[in-house]
Amino acid sequence: MREAAGIVTPRLFDRGELIVEQDAQGEALHLITRGVVRVSRVGVGGRERVLGDLYAPSVVGETAVLARQERSASVRALGEVHTLMLYRDHFEVILRRHPGVLWNLAAMLAHRVTLLNDELIAFGMNTEVALAHVFSRLYAVRVEAGVPRPEVLPLSTPDIMARASSSRETVMRVLKRMEEQGLLKSDAQSVTLLNPAALDQVLLEAADAD
C-alpha cells in the first residue's frame, strides 16, 4: 500500500461521467475510494445491458489491464466518485514484488465469475426470477457497503428494464405481481424491498423447480 500510494493518480469524476469506456484500450485500473459506479455493456445489436453497481471500496478496469486487451464494459459515475488510477506498468511492478496482491485479485475475479454464473442461471428462467436476482444482489452489495437503508434500491423503471433486458410492459407486470406478494413496493425512481429474505426464497424455489 505504501508503494502504491506513491504512484497512483487521484481522479475525481462527476455524476454521469465515464470512468472506463467499453472497447477503449485498458492502460490503467481505478481503485474506487468514494462513491458508486454503474457497469454496463453494449452487446450485439447495440442494446445496452446494465451489469451492476459497485460501491467503494472496489476496483474497475483490472481485467483489461491484466489481459492487455480492450475494455469489456463501460463504467459510469452515479454521483461524485473519487478514484486512484494505477497504470499497468506500475501495477506489474507491485505484482512482481508482492505476489499476494495477485492472489487477492484472483480471488475477487473468481467471486465475480461465480456471481455471473448465478446471474446466467437466473436470467435463463423467467423475468420474475431475473428481477429477484437483480434486487437481491443489489441489496447484498448495499448492505456490504454500509449504505443507509439498503432496502431502498435506487432503480428507476428504465434501470430495471436495462438490467433485466425486458420490455416496460413485462417489467411493470412482474413488479405488480411481486408487490401483490408483499415482496416490495416500487415507484418511478426506486424499489423498496419489504422482505429481502423472501427474494432468496424465490430463487431457491426456482432452482428446485429447475
Side-chain angles (χ1 to χ4, degrees), residues 9-98:
T9 303
R11 295 290 306 276
L12 172 63
F13 297 89
D14 294 326
R15 180 181 181 87
E17 192 173 354
L18 272 175
I19 300 172
V20 166
E21 185 174 6
Q22 182 177 337
D23 297 330
Q25 289 299 315
E27 300 297 330
L29 59 83
H30 289 263
L31 305 168
I32 304 170
T33 59
R34 185 184 304 173
V36 189
V37 301
R38 178 156 294 170
V39 184
S40 65
R41 175 176 173 80
V42 177
V44 177
R47 187 171 186 175
E48 183 180 26
R49 168 78 183 284
V50 175
L51 303 179
D53 297 346
L54 294 176
Y55 289 73
S58 190
V59 59
V60 295
E62 74 290 339
T63 303
V65 169
L66 289 172
R68 294 181 176 273
Q69 62 185 21
E70 296 177 342
R71 305 290 192 185
S72 60
S74 293
V75 179
R76 191 178 298 272
L78 292 184
E80 185 176 276
V81 171
H82 296 251
T83 78
L84 298 175
M85 187 168 65
L86 181 60
Y87 286 96
R88 177 189 288 115
D89 290 345
H90 294 153
F91 188 44
E92 289 179 346
V93 170
I94 291 177
L95 292 180
R96 285 195 296 269
R97 292 178 178 174
H98 307 281

Side-chain angles (χ1 to χ4, degrees), residues 128 174-184 194-195 198 202:
E128 182 171 359
V174 173
L175 285 177
K176 181 178 180 181
R177 183 161 65 244
M178 297 177 83
E179 287 185 357
E180 292 172 347
Q181 294 170 347
L183 298 176
L184 53 82
L194 303 178
N195 189 352
V202 171

